[in-house]
Amino acid sequence: MAHGLRCWRCGESLAALALPFGRVDECPKCHVHLHVCRMCVYYAPRKPKGCSEDDAIEVRDKKAVNFCDYFKPSARAFDSAELEGEQKARSQLDDLFKK
């Protein structure tokens, strides 16, 4: 089922997965859960609850699987700059703690 969605964490294509995502669906590459606030069109980190859907319950961990009924996957969830920053930090830690 081609839909153009990519994993919010690693950017892997999720085209092979059927919609709607189930609560326990994971990215085939990095194995993070997909039914999370970070992957939703309503994810709004600048809003008080982190969500632009006023009626949604507050979810504290935006990267953890949840039961939100308003969840709708976003094609813009992946942020390559965030991944690059994580990879750079990991590389610096590896250099710092070389064996």
Side-chain angles (χ1 to χ4, degrees):
M1 215 179 247
H3 43 63
L5 296 172
R6 296 169 62 189
C7 173
W8 63 270
R9 185 170 183 274
C10 73
E12 178 75 8
S13 172
L14 304 174
L17 298 178
L19 292 176
F21 292 144
R23 184 176 178 274
V24 295
D25 281 344
E26 296 180 344
C27 170
K29 181 177 179 183
C30 71
H31 304 288
V32 296
H33 284 110
L34 299 173
H35 196 288
V36 300
C37 295
R38 242 339 239 102
M39 184 75 192
C40 184
V41 297
Y42 298 114
Y43 176 66
R46 291 183 175 86
K47 295 260 184 175
K49 293 191 308 182
C51 183
S52 62
E53 176 52 60
D54 293 333
D55 293 332
I57 60 168
E58 183 174 4
V59 176
R60 292 181 190 252
D61 186 351
K62 306 300 185 205
K63 297 179 181 180
V65 67
N66 61 61
F67 288 101
C68 183
D69 290 331
Y70 294 99
F71 176 79
K72 182 177 177 185
S74 171
R76 297 181 302 195
F78 176 66
D79 181 358
S80 61
E82 185 177 331
L83 179 62
E84 289 168 9
E86 181 182 320
Q87 289 171 337
K88 181 179 179 183
R90 192 173 309 274
S91 175
Q92 289 172 339
L93 281 172
D94 288 345
D95 291 344
L96 184 63
F97 296 105
K98 278 185 181 174
K99 292 185 177 179

